[in-house]
Amino acid sequence: MKRKIPVTILSLIMGLSIAACGKQETTTGNESITATVESTQAETTETSEANTETTESVETTENTEEVEETIEATDITKGEPLSEKDLAFSFLGYNTYNEYVEAGNDGGAYIVADNAAMILSGEFTDDGDVLESTVRGIKLGDSIDKVFELYGNTEEHSADIKNEFSHDGLKDSGAYNYFLKLDSTKEYFYAFRFRVDQNNNIIAVVIEPIPMEYWS
């Protein structure tokens, strides 16, 4: 009986040691799992924040580009009356048409088809005074409605026929006129004449200085 007591005690001690080790391993395992979960949550949060910052950056860039495009497109507001900006095209060696007139010249600027009667005859134009479009972008073939949209409506409509602008079965049918007076050119004011064909499309544009005595 005396020999069994130490064995029993030894077994009890070993059992307690094993239990303690098991508890320690369980605790260590729990701590490892907790650390892994926390690490995963931190990575997920960082990724979400990074994606949010990237999205905000892209949206900001797109908004900035839209604003820049809007500013560029509205340099001359639709329907804005004629201004000196409409004369800001190079012409016969001058930086602007206004500078050309201020220098004492009175030649007109034209937008006209290459095979129009006036070109073939050489009646009005010479090299360098034919334009491709107005400053606001009006070209041959555009509807008169586009002119109204960009320049506003005008009551100055003349029904005089200019056959020299006709070509390819398109016949001149009159003009819609806009006028501009500037302090810098006291002897002249400017006329913008948008001539239309039988379909109410632009067949020619004439920009010319008119002596101030005809201003009314």
Side-chain angles (χ1 to χ4, degrees):
M1 190 67 176
K2 289 182 180 180
R3 291 181 180 178
K4 291 182 180 180
I5 291 174
V7 173
T8 301
I9 293 173
L10 180 59
S11 298
L12 180 59
I13 292 173
M14 291 179 64
L16 291 174
S17 298
I18 293 172
C21 290
K23 183 177 181 181
Q24 184 175 0
E25 291 176 357
T26 301
T27 301
T28 303
N30 289 337
E31 290 176 353
S32 177
I33 292 172
T34 301
T36 301
V37 171
E38 290 176 352
S39 176
T40 302
Q41 290 176 343
E43 291 176 358
T44 302
T45 301
E46 291 175 357
T47 301
S48 299
E49 291 176 353
N51 290 338
T52 300
E53 290 175 358
T54 301
T55 302
E56 291 177 352
S57 176
V58 171
E59 291 177 352
T60 301
T61 301
E62 290 176 351
N63 291 337
T64 301
E65 291 175 352
E66 290 176 0
V67 170
E68 290 176 352
E69 290 176 357
T70 301
I71 292 174
E72 182 177 353
T74 56
D75 185 31
I76 298 179
T77 306
K78 286 184 178 181
E80 177 184 329
L82 285 177
S83 70
E84 191 170 351
K85 290 182 288 187
D86 290 291
L87 303 173
F89 54 87
S90 58
F91 189 77
L92 296 178
Y94 292 84
N95 291 327
T96 68
Y97 185 67
N98 191 34
E99 290 181 3
Y100 167 81
V101 175
E102 286 179 347
N105 302 294
D106 61 357
Y110 300 87
I111 300 174
V112 63
D114 291 339
N115 59 340
M118 65 178 295
I119 295 292
L120 296 178
S121 66
E123 183 175 356
F124 289 107
T125 64
D126 54 31
D127 292 339
D129 58 1
V130 177
L131 313 175
E132 292 186 1
S133 71
T134 67
V135 170
R136 304 194 194 194
I138 293 297
K139 298 180 179 180
L140 295 179
D142 286 342
S143 169
I144 190 61
D145 291 333
K146 185 175 180 180
V147 174
F148 296 153
E149 179 183 356
L150 295 178
Y151 294 85
N153 291 323
T154 178
E155 296 179 357
E156 301 292 336
H157 176 223
S158 58
D160 61 316
I161 305 302
K162 301 290 186 182
N163 291 325
E164 57 267 21
F165 296 111
S166 301
H167 63 92
D168 298 323
L170 300 176
K171 298 183 180 298
D172 182 274
S173 300
Y176 292 86
N177 305 312
Y178 296 78
F179 302 103
L180 170 66
K181 183 170 69 172
L182 297 176
D183 293 336
S184 60
T185 48
K186 297 180 180 180
E187 296 182 3
Y188 297 97
F189 64 95
Y190 297 94
F192 282 64
R193 307 187 190 279
F194 295 91
R195 308 202 65 87
V196 296
D197 59 25
Q198 66 270 33
N199 303 311
N200 270 335
N201 296 326
I202 301 301
I203 194 173
V205 179
V206 180
I207 303 172
E208 59 184 343
I210 307 295
M212 191 60 70
E213 61 184 282
Y214 296 105
W215 177 267
S216 61

